[in-house]
Amino acid sequence: MSRTARRAERLADAADARLPVLEGGSLLRKAFPEHWSFFLGEIALYSLLVLILTGVWLTFFFQPEMREVVYTGSYVPLQGVAMSAAFDSTLHISFDVRGGLLMRQTHHWAALVFVAAIGLHMLRIFFTGAFRRPRELNWAIGVTLFMLSLAEGFAGYSLPDDLLSGTGLRIAQGIMTSIPVVGTYLAFFAFGGEYPGHDIVTRLYPLHILLLPGALIALVTAHLILVFHLKHTQWRGPGRTNRNVLGKPLYPQFTGTSAGLSLTVFGVLVLLSGIAQINPVWTYGPYRPDQVSTGSQPDWYVGFLEGALRLVPPWETNVAGHTVMWNVLLPAVVLPGLLFAVLYAYPFVEQRLTGEWRHEQHLCDRPRERPVRTGLGVAGTVFYGVLLLAGANDIMAQVFRVSVDALTWILRAALVVAPGLAFLVTRWLCRALTAAERERLAEGVPTGDIRQSVTGGYEGDHEPVESFRPGAPRRPLTGARTGTPSRTPRAPGRPDR
């Protein structure tokens, strides 16, 4: 045992003496695998911590009211302009409170990184199959966290009551009214009467600072408890099985690494907030129902909804004197519902089809070894990307000087064709990479040396493979060099068909 390992064991035993609940030191010695992709969830966690700290600070100065006031602050272009108290307090935080603008921008950047880290973390779990038994519940918690983070981000984005966020609220009101039968009642309740009403900011505020954060913290806590209770997934390799986990112990190695990552996340977010302007509400001005700012774009995480709304043709149906707006209901209500339903159901469907639901799976799959799953993931990502591009079709049309209508039809075609094409190309690429890897493992790595055989022919010289990517298949390496192909080894794991 190395000196570092013995020291870690002694420290863990000392901690056990102080904390009888951790008797045996099993928790402090719990191993965590080392790989950069495993830190994506931690980035989300530390971004959430920044959100909580900056959000608490902002609550001391923000006024969630829609009563009309006249601006008298230090931003000269808006002096004397009538606006809501919410927008007035946002300007006050930005220009008159020491460090206020830095806090606002840190909060906004942390929100963007938080949602992005959750999304990337879910992609890592999906492509490596870390959602399989016994982690289906943790996958469902992660999907719920992602959904709640979208709602939390939209609620916070809408609070300043500026012209850009007000345009988003107008779209949200249209989505509500598109729901048959109950849509009008939902909109009246949310806005406190006929649009724009007087209550929407007042009602979004407790959602943003209390209910949704409470749900997020509770789910994150449950998620972490399950991570500790269940063994951490790891890549295949020598000594790694379904019954063990190799890596750094929780204390002190993993704790030190995680603490360093937390400081890095904090520093990067503050640095971004100091040098990269985001959401300059003073340039948009206060919200007015009769105006829409040119080139309005939401934050990236809801951009796919904007794109879906722009791509669906103006379909409407009149039923018994009532109009059903399919062009809003389908892209903004039905489509997100289907997407999240697929995410929730996928682990159970795949395991039933592959038969893996009978046994626990603690080793990560390499994406190339699961061509169908990887193809589906890439197809879904391309589908999302096309919708995100469609949300900026007017900006792209202006930049590239093409017709908005022509670009819309191109994106409609891409939404149908591109995901299927991405699936086929990805599946072929995964199979090709796996075959090339097996051949390389069987024949060895070319050395560049050419030698002549006894029959007068020429053949390349090879040497055994000695470097492996995480999870890559291996075989016992014997002999210094060989130019003769050997039997192709079977790749670990059960490939999907």
Side-chain angles (χ1 to χ4, degrees):
M1 183 183 296
S2 67
R3 181 180 300 177
T4 302
R6 289 196 298 270
R7 176 177 172 81
E9 186 172 355
R10 287 197 301 270
L11 289 172
D13 292 338
D16 295 341
R18 298 183 183 93
L19 298 173
V21 72
L22 303 179
E23 190 172 355
S26 59
L27 179 60
L28 292 180
R29 286 195 289 268
K30 185 177 180 64
F32 285 82
E34 299 180 63
H35 193 264
W36 66 267
S37 64
F38 295 148
F39 290 111
L40 293 171
E42 292 185 53
I43 293 175
L45 176 63
Y46 296 133
S47 299
L48 178 61
L49 182 58
V50 174
L51 279 170
I52 294 172
L53 294 175
T54 55
V56 169
W57 189 91
L58 290 171
T59 57
F60 295 137
F61 304 96
F62 183 73
Q63 299 180 23
E65 302 175 13
M66 297 186 70
R67 60 182 174 83
E68 189 175 273
V69 300
V70 176
Y71 181 67
T72 58
S74 58
Y75 186 64
V76 176
L78 289 178
Q79 287 181 355
V81 176
M83 60 185 62
S84 67
F87 188 69
D88 178 77
S89 64
T90 304
L91 294 179
H92 176 69
I93 293 172
S94 302
F95 296 105
D96 301 314
V97 176
R98 187 179 297 275
L101 182 58
L102 180 66
M103 285 292 186
R104 269 197 63 237
Q105 297 205 148
T106 303
H107 192 72
H108 203 123
W109 274 115
L112 298 183
V113 173
F114 176 60
V115 180
I118 291 179
L120 292 175
H121 182 57
M122 289 180 61
L123 286 176
R124 197 276 299 177
I125 291 174
F126 178 85
F127 284 118
T128 62
F131 52 75
R132 294 170 296 177
R133 181 181 176 186
R135 297 176 180 83
E136 299 94 336
L137 177 58
N138 232 6
W139 169 262
I141 290 175
V143 174
T144 307
L145 275 170
F146 185 65
M147 183 168 55
L148 291 180
S149 67
L150 298 182
E152 172 74 343
F154 178 77
Y157 171 85
S158 304
L159 287 179
D161 198 34
D162 59 280
L163 188 57
L164 183 61
S165 65
T167 302
L169 284 174
R170 183 67 180 90
I171 295 173
Q173 189 262 353
I175 294 172
M176 292 179 193
T177 56
S178 72
I179 302 175
V181 183
V182 300
T184 304
Y185 299 99
L186 288 175
F188 266 67
F189 171 77
F191 288 88
E194 194 71 44
Y195 182 84
H198 301 284
D199 297 335
I200 184 63
V201 171
T202 305
R203 289 175 178 171
L204 284 176
Y205 189 65
L207 281 175
H208 182 67
I209 70 166
L210 181 62
L211 299 180
L212 291 176
L216 287 172
I217 293 172
L219 288 175
V220 167
T221 303
H223 182 76
L224 292 177
I225 290 174
L226 285 176
V227 168
F228 271 82
H229 177 68
L230 305 171
K231 289 188 298 185
H232 201 293
T233 55
Q234 61 183 342
W235 295 106
R236 294 185 181 91
R240 294 181 172 92
T241 68
N242 268 324
R243 293 186 173 89
N244 68 358
V245 177
L246 300 182
K248 294 181 178 180
L250 174 62
Y251 182 84
Q253 284 92 337
F254 181 79
T255 302
T257 302
S258 187
L261 178 62
S262 69
L263 296 177
T264 302
V265 171
F266 297 164
V268 169
L269 290 175
V270 174
L271 180 64
L272 278 174
S273 307
I275 64 177
Q277 180 176 269
I278 188 171
N279 199 28
V281 295
W282 53 89
T283 63
Y284 310 141
Y287 179 65
R288 288 180 49 179
D290 60 331
Q291 293 183 354
V292 175
S293 57
T294 303
S296 297
Q297 301 295 316
D299 282 339
W300 71 268
Y301 47 83
V302 290
F304 76 101
L305 281 178
E306 178 85 9
L309 285 167
R310 297 188 184 196
L311 289 187
V312 175
W315 295 333
E316 294 182 355
T317 302
N318 292 317
V319 179
H322 299 277
T323 301
V324 179
M325 300 182 296
W326 299 108
N327 56 321
V328 179
L329 181 66
L330 290 178
V333 178
V334 176
L335 177 63
L338 288 176
L339 289 177
F340 279 101
V342 169
L343 288 176
Y344 279 115
Y346 186 85
F348 305 96
V349 174
E350 182 191 280
Q351 290 183 103
R352 281 288 177 178
L353 293 177
T354 60
E356 291 178 328
W357 61 275
R358 297 184 179 90
H359 306 286
E360 292 187 355
Q361 307 290 333
H362 299 289
L363 297 176
C364 292
D365 287 328
R366 302 173 72 212
R368 67 181 62 183
E369 295 172 2
R370 295 287 187 146
V372 173
R373 180 203 296 154
T374 304
L376 291 174
V378 172
T381 304
V382 170
F383 183 83
Y384 174 87
V386 173
L387 291 179
L388 191 62
L389 287 175
N393 62 348
D394 55 338
I395 304 296
M396 291 191 297
Q398 182 181 10
V399 171
F400 297 106
R401 300 191 180 279
V402 297
S403 167
V404 174
D405 292 336
L407 186 60
T408 299
W409 276 105
I410 291 173
L411 291 171
R412 285 172 177 169
L415 188 65
V416 176
V417 176
L421 185 62
F423 172 81
L424 295 175
V425 171
T426 302
R427 188 179 62 175
W428 168 81
L429 185 61
C430 288
R431 291 172 175 173
L433 287 172
T434 302
E437 189 174 57
R438 290 176 179 175
E439 181 180 356
R440 178 174 175 267
L441 187 62
E443 297 183 357
V445 181
T447 63
D449 298 333
I450 304 295
R451 54 192 173 90
Q452 189 175 19
S453 64
V454 294
T455 60
Y458 293 90
E459 59 184 9
D461 202 4
H462 294 71
E463 62 183 8
V465 180
E466 296 181 351
S467 62
F468 300 89
R469 294 179 180 273
R474 302 171 184 237
R475 55 172 298 182
L477 302 177
T478 57
R481 297 191 178 192
T482 177
T484 305
S486 60
R487 183 176 60 87
T488 302
R490 180 178 179 271
R494 175 179 175 178
D496 52 357
R497 295 175 173 83

